């Protein structure tokens, strides 16, 4: 069976060629997945509806994004210019994770080629995150009664503070974040389970810590997994502070994906962060998620 993967041309917004965020990675990843024959055809998402967004975000915030009326400080906190293509990208990428979560339930595993915008909270965006796509998709799937309990496993180098804030009083969603202690955000939120890593940690220690925590998570019952597979843990990442190799990322993906696939728990994989100094390498690192998912089917 071919891995269901969601992609849209609008994932690439016009933020300027000199912007720090590598926005072109979304388009290049799609090309790479086709060239490497990991995917033949993509599923195309629709822009996420107001009603679906509103399950995780406030009406005022959604309207301020859609109408481009957010104040300057709030725009600065997000880090993107609030232009039409950024608004469209935020709506479509969120719709992409909603679609990927439905595909995961149908096929057992599915991925988006964007997503993992885990710093956005109910009322604001931050750290290149406009809408929290995983929170929106989790709330949607729960509200439709497709599932009863969700696990968000966040292995981005930065803490998934947006998810922990949105779900802090929601027992139907378990938030797990394993991140670099000294990295952004400076003020951490409380996930259901946080694992703080010291700077410059290497492959073996990282994988050993992850294995121990997967054993803890396996004691709980979940109907759907959202996996935020940030590759900013890589030793050559501009925003990382960890020392994980290509092989370490490959081992991580195989470990996480096989852990839940073997238990027949549907998994929806999303990109998370990645700011590698080598752009070509960044695309290859992000593709490890999709390759690992495709190889297990």
């Amino acid at each position: 069976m071919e891995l269901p993967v969601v992609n849209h041309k609008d994932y690439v917004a016009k933020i300027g060629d000199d912007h720090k965020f590598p926005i072109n990675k979304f388009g290049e990843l799609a090309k790479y997945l086709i060239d490497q024959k990991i995917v033949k055809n993509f599923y195309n998402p629709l822009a996420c509806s107001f009603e679906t967004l509103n399950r995780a975000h406030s009406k005022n915030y959604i309207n301020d994004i859609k109408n481009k009326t957010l104040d300057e400080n709030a725009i600065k906190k997000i880090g993107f210019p609030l232009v039409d293509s950024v608004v469209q990208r935020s709506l479509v990428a969120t719709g992409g994770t909603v679609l990927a979560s439905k595909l995961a339930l149908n096929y057992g595993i599915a991925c988006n080629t964007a997503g993992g915008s885990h710093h956005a909270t109910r009322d604001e965006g931050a750290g290149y995150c406009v809408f929290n796509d995983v929170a929106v998709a989790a709330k949607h799937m729960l509200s439709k009664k497709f599932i009863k309990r969700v696990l968000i496993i966040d292995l981005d180098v930065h803490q998934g503070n947006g998810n922990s804030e949105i779900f802090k009083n929601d027992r139907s969603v378990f938030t797990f974040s394993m991140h670099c202690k000294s990295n952004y955000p400076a003020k951490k939120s409380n996930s259901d389970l946080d694992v703080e890593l010291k700077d410059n940690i290497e492959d073996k220690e990282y994988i050993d810590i992850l294995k121990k925590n997967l054993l803890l998570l396996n004691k709980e019952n979940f109907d759907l997994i959202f996996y935020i597979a940030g590759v900013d843990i890589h030793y050559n990442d501009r925003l990382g502070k960890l020392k994980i190799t290509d092989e370490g990322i490959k081992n991580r993906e195989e470990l996480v994906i096989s852990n839940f696939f073997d238990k027949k728990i549907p998994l929806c994989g999303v990109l998370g962060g990645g700011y590698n100094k080598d752009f070509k390498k960044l695309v290859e690192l992000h593709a490890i998620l999709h390759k690992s998912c495709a190889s297990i089917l």
Side-chain angles (χ1 to χ4, degrees):
M1 188 186 92
E2 188 182 340
L3 174 71
V5 178
V6 178
N7 176 260
H8 198 287
K9 62 179 177 54
D10 289 350
Y11 285 1
V12 181
K14 296 177 177 69
I15 60 172
D17 293 338
D18 58 346
H19 199 283
K20 285 187 289 189
F21 187 87
I23 197 85
N24 292 326
K25 70 181 182 179
F26 302 110
E28 292 305 311
L29 174 61
K31 283 184 204 162
Y32 182 87
L33 294 176
I34 295 283
D35 291 346
Q36 296 292 310
K37 297 184 169 51
I38 298 161
V39 179
K40 287 184 197 157
N41 299 292
F42 292 110
Y43 287 80
N44 292 127
L46 299 171
C48 194
S49 71
F50 189 99
E51 180 193 4
T52 302
L53 285 170
N54 192 208
R55 294 195 174 103
H57 294 289
S58 67
K59 287 179 180 175
N60 287 346
Y61 178 62
I62 300 164
N63 282 327
D64 278 339
I65 294 295
K66 292 182 93 164
N67 300 327
K68 295 179 299 200
T69 51
L70 205 62
D71 72 66
E72 276 184 41
N73 286 335
I75 294 171
K76 197 178 284 185
K77 190 169 182 179
I78 290 171
F80 289 140
L82 194 54
V83 295
D84 287 341
S85 66
V86 168
V87 174
Q88 174 67 1
R89 181 197 178 277
S90 305
L91 293 168
V92 173
T94 305
T97 298
V98 174
L99 176 56
S101 65
K102 292 174 183 173
L103 291 166
L105 275 196
N106 288 341
Y107 296 100
I109 196 162
C111 294
N112 196 357
T113 56
S117 298
H118 61 169
H119 299 308
T121 58
R122 182 164 179 79
D123 297 304
E124 64 177 9
Y128 307 131
C129 303
V130 179
F131 295 126
N132 191 319
D133 58 293
V134 166
V136 169
K139 290 259 192 191
H140 177 75
M141 299 300 274
L142 288 160
S143 72
K144 295 291 184 186
K145 305 284 195 288
F146 294 143
I147 52 174
K148 289 182 179 173
R149 195 140 190 263
V150 170
L151 167 65
I152 299 172
I153 177 166
D154 191 338
L155 299 184
D156 191 290
V157 82
H158 307 106
Q159 195 212 25
N161 61 310
N163 288 317
S164 55
E165 284 294 322
I166 288 169
F167 295 112
K168 62 185 173 188
N169 298 315
D170 189 341
R171 295 300 91 208
S172 59
V173 179
F174 190 101
T175 53
F176 168 67
S177 180
M178 181 166 139
H179 51 268
C180 177
K181 182 179 182 179
S182 69
N183 215 317
Y184 178 93
K187 186 176 185 300
K188 306 291 189 283
S189 187
N190 289 321
S191 309
D192 291 305
L193 178 58
D194 282 301
V195 176
E196 298 192 317
L197 304 171
K198 62 183 187 287
D199 288 10
N200 302 313
I201 195 170
E202 295 183 11
D203 289 7
K204 186 183 183 306
E205 190 178 357
Y206 181 92
I207 294 296
D208 285 348
I209 292 169
L210 179 57
K211 279 180 178 171
K212 282 178 194 163
N213 283 283
L214 284 173
L215 289 174
L216 288 176
L217 294 171
N218 287 343
K219 292 176 181 175
E220 305 266 346
N221 292 315
F222 301 108
D223 304 312
L224 178 62
I225 312 297
F226 286 95
Y227 174 35
I228 301 173
V231 296
D232 38 13
I233 62 169
H234 192 264
Y235 68 87
N236 204 34
D237 197 272
R238 287 185 289 112
L239 304 180
K241 299 192 180 183
L242 302 188
K243 290 281 185 284
I244 309 304
T245 66
D246 299 30
E247 190 64 22
I249 289 175
K250 181 173 180 284
N251 290 342
R252 180 192 77 173
E253 309 308 46
E254 289 172 353
L255 178 63
V256 171
I257 292 156
S258 62
N259 179 76
F260 296 108
F261 191 81
D262 290 350
K263 292 173 177 52
K264 297 185 169 55
I265 307 172
L267 181 142
C268 173
V270 297
L271 240 56
Y275 313 89
N276 208 280
K277 292 169 188 170
D278 179 341
F279 181 77
K280 184 170 175 285
K281 171 61 68 181
L282 173 60
V283 172
E284 289 172 7
L285 292 173
H286 275 309
I288 297 171
L289 167 69
H290 306 81
K291 276 183 186 171
S292 303
C293 287
S295 66
I296 205 166
L297 286 171

